[in-house]
Amino acid sequence: MPNNKREKIPEGTLCVVCSDFASGIHYSVASCNGCKTFFRRALVNKQTFTCQFSGDCVVGKSVRCVCRSCRLKKCFDMGMDPKAIQHDRDKIRYTKALKKKREEEKRLKEMVIKEDIGSPQSIASDTYINTSTPSSSTMINILENDHHSYDPEAQNDVKAVIEDLLRLESRVKSLRNSYRFESQVSATSCMYSSCLLDDITYMAENTHENEGTIEPFECSVEKLREWFVRDLSLMLEWGKCLPIMERLLLNDKLALMKAFAPIFPLIQLAFYTRNEFECDIVIKLEPDCTPKPIPERLNYPDGSFIEKGNKPANTWEEMHTMLIDGCYKMMRQLKIKESTFVLYKMLLFHNPDADGLSSLGKKTIENERMRLLTQLFSYLSTERGKEAQTIFSNLLMMSATLSKTASFIKRVFDFNHIFNRTNDLIDQLIIVGL
């Protein structure tokens, strides 16, 4: 084939690495420009990457920049040919934006070393934290525009958003902790009805604290399903209260709910798990301190728990092992407060790649997500100072773990659905569809 002609592929062909639209045949396979450039840069610059998890992270259109190690591995697995790279071409150079970012990071690092040399208080020493920064254009744009962190008006906007979300979260927690409410039967009809979180009578009847001592007991698959249905009911009510919903069509609202359905119960479980030894978790150690073990158990308000142990592979308990290591411990090591958690949860909900979104809905969600990303980084910069970039990077990494865990739970419930077709919210939002 002449060098001046690019091999054409059928319209709509997807990249074999990340499933974005392919731009052509690059290095022997159909791939997008992003994966093509990533593969060439990694090999030409002889870069090596290390996965922070188990080496099988999800590599998709929306999370392809999260783990470079697994992305490069998938490039090879899908047949990208390193021999096809033309090494005699001009050396790959950083874009102006990335070059500017690297210079700024170097300057800040030198300042930190001068100020804190020898300090044992660095968050980078934590066992469960990955200090590498995701090489995504989104991250670069936010870092370049971090002047919002010092804009009083922008800070007031972020605080107002967080205050509203915390008030909403308080109602959700009250219902979840009492678990007296009846779960929703139909997701579609729920979206048509008024929000129960705004119903004073309903909230008064369903938020009484449970009396008596709660004895812990091991969670069964049936109990897990019961709690997932409860959390999905709360997700629907929570979602209806979000400002973005007023600007979306019903089908777009349902598309967002379905995309977020496998993740919402998981992140609620990980963040709101409270163990009796929680106060013993050591985040930053003094030189003479010995860390105490973090409880490897997730629990629900009724006392049911899932404990990490030597379970056989491909069991539903394995899902909770991923959740404990990749989310529960991570959030405690990063000292994530509820104010950060509610903003992060909003960010995860605004998924422009959700199946079924209209073109207008997709554009609306994309704009809103970028605003939320900026707000989250701005808030972290104000609250956590020089730790903000590390925390922000690890939160983005955690989204890949949640996606992987969500895929696992879908398989668990899919198998259960074969023998027990209940047509509950799990079937409607996770397995079969509406």
Side-chain angles (χ1 to χ4, degrees):
M1 179 177 296
N3 293 330
N4 61 348
K5 289 186 179 181
R6 178 182 295 177
E7 186 174 346
K8 293 184 178 180
I9 58 175
E11 185 176 354
T13 300
L14 300 182
C15 172
V16 298
V17 179
C18 71
S19 298
D20 197 355
F21 287 111
S23 60
I25 301 296
H26 307 296
Y27 311 124
S28 303
V29 300
S31 61
C32 63
N33 286 330
C35 291
K36 173 196 73 173
T37 304
F38 167 78
F39 183 73
R40 180 171 184 268
R41 179 181 290 122
L43 270 65
V44 170
N45 292 342
K46 299 180 180 178
Q47 293 175 296
T48 57
F49 309 114
T50 302
C51 178
Q52 300 299 313
F53 300 99
S54 56
D56 56 352
C57 298
V58 175
V59 182
K61 177 181 176 182
S62 58
V63 293
R64 61 190 175 196
C65 296
V66 171
C67 182
R68 292 177 290 179
S69 175
C70 290
R71 187 183 185 185
L72 184 60
K73 177 177 178 293
K74 190 170 182 181
C75 287
F76 281 111
D77 290 345
M78 300 311 295
M80 277 197 173
D81 185 6
K83 296 180 181 179
I85 295 177
Q86 300 176 29
H87 290 273
D88 57 340
R89 289 175 55 188
D90 291 339
K91 183 179 179 181
I92 296 175
R93 290 180 170 85
Y94 295 119
T95 62
K96 291 182 179 179
L98 186 55
K99 183 178 180 180
K100 180 181 177 182
K101 168 182 168 291
R102 291 291 174 87
E103 291 174 349
E104 180 67 15
E105 285 181 348
K106 183 178 179 181
R107 184 181 66 82
L108 290 174
K109 185 176 181 181
E110 290 173 351
M111 290 174 60
V112 171
I113 291 174
K114 289 178 182 178
E115 293 176 2
D116 299 322
I117 185 167
S119 172
Q121 301 296 327
S122 173
I123 193 172
S125 63
D126 290 343
T127 305
Y128 297 102
I129 296 177
N130 166 32
T131 55
S132 63
T133 303
S135 58
S136 64
S137 58
T138 299
M139 184 69 177
I140 295 168
N141 290 335
I142 291 171
L143 291 174
E144 285 192 329
N145 293 285
D146 63 357
H147 62 272
H148 291 291
S149 304
Y150 311 102
D151 183 350
E153 186 175 347
Q155 284 299 306
N156 290 334
D157 290 342
V158 175
K159 289 179 180 178
V161 170
I162 291 176
E163 287 174 2
D164 289 341
L165 290 175
L166 286 174
R167 281 193 291 268
L168 179 59
E169 192 70 16
S170 176
R171 299 173 197 170
V172 172
K173 277 197 306 180
S174 297
L175 286 171
R176 189 174 188 269
N177 289 336
S178 63
Y179 53 93
R180 295 171 180 269
F181 64 96
E182 290 191 16
S183 301
Q184 295 287 351
V185 177
S186 169
T188 304
S189 61
C190 178
M191 295 305 297
Y192 277 111
S193 61
S194 58
C195 183
L196 294 176
L197 298 178
D198 295 330
D199 188 327
I200 298 176
T201 303
Y202 177 86
M203 292 296 296
E205 292 175 349
N206 291 280
T207 55
H208 295 295
E209 292 186 6
N210 293 284
E211 300 178 356
T213 304
I214 297 176
E215 294 294 334
F217 61 95
E218 191 166 1
C219 186
S220 62
V221 179
E222 291 73 21
K223 177 60 70 173
L224 178 70
R225 189 179 186 96
E226 181 182 322
W227 268 106
F228 254 74
V229 172
R230 283 192 185 123
D231 280 331
L232 290 177
S233 296
L234 292 174
M235 180 197 72
L236 292 171
E237 299 299 334
W238 171 81
K240 289 191 293 186
C241 296
L242 302 181
I244 190 70
M245 291 303 195
E246 298 178 359
R247 297 149 54 191
L248 297 175
L249 300 172
L250 177 62
N251 286 343
D252 289 337
K253 296 177 184 178
L254 289 171
L256 284 179
M257 292 293 188
K258 287 181 64 178
F260 197 43
I263 294 176
F264 182 89
L266 297 175
I267 197 170
Q268 293 291 105
L269 175 60
F271 185 77
Y272 287 115
T273 282
R274 290 291 179 264
N275 288 303
E276 58 180 321
F277 302 109
E278 187 96 352
C279 59
D280 292 333
I281 297 177
V282 178
I283 304 300
K284 294 181 179 180
L285 302 177
E286 298 295 337
D288 57 345
C289 286
T290 302
K292 297 182 180 180
I294 299 176
E296 301 195 340
R297 172 184 289 187
L298 300 174
N299 57 50
Y300 286 107
D302 65 349
S304 57
F305 66 85
I306 303 100
E307 195 164 25
K308 180 181 175 183
N310 297 321
K311 304 289 184 181
N314 297 321
T315 63
W316 66 278
E317 287 90 345
E318 184 182 359
M319 174 202 76
H320 292 87
T321 297
M322 292 187 287
L323 196 61
I324 288 172
D325 291 338
C327 297
Y328 170 71
K329 290 181 180 180
M330 176 76 78
M331 287 190 283
R332 272 117 187 111
Q333 293 289 338
L334 293 171
K335 296 196 296 184
I336 300 299
K337 297 180 180 178
E338 193 171 30
S339 54
T340 302
F341 172 72
V342 293
L343 203 55
Y344 177 63
K345 189 163 66 171
M346 272 278 283
L347 178 63
L348 295 177
F349 176 73
H350 288 72
N351 179 7
D353 297 318
D355 290 337
L357 279 179
S358 65
S359 56
L360 179 60
K362 182 180 179 68
K363 185 176 181 180
T364 302
I365 295 300
E366 283 177 342
N367 293 336
E368 186 66 13
R369 183 171 69 165
M370 181 55 67
R371 188 177 70 86
L372 287 166
L373 276 165
T374 304
Q375 287 182 334
L376 178 58
F377 188 76
S378 172
Y379 178 72
L380 289 173
S381 298
T382 303
E383 294 295 312
R384 307 293 292 272
K386 63 184 181 181
E387 297 176 344
Q389 188 170 327
T390 297
I391 297 169
F392 186 72
S393 300
N394 281 277
L395 286 176
L396 294 183
M397 289 286 290
M398 196 167 70
S399 65
T401 302
L402 285 167
S403 296
K404 180 180 177 181
T405 312
S407 298
F408 198 100
I409 192 63
K410 185 179 185 300
R411 293 199 299 271
V412 172
F413 286 135
D414 199 9
F415 179 78
N416 186 258
H417 173 77
I418 297 174
F419 304 100
N420 183 25
R421 299 191 180 188
T422 57
N423 193 31
D424 57 13
L425 291 182
I426 293 176
D427 286 346
Q428 297 172 31
L429 295 174
I430 298 178
I431 305 302
V432 181
L434 300 169

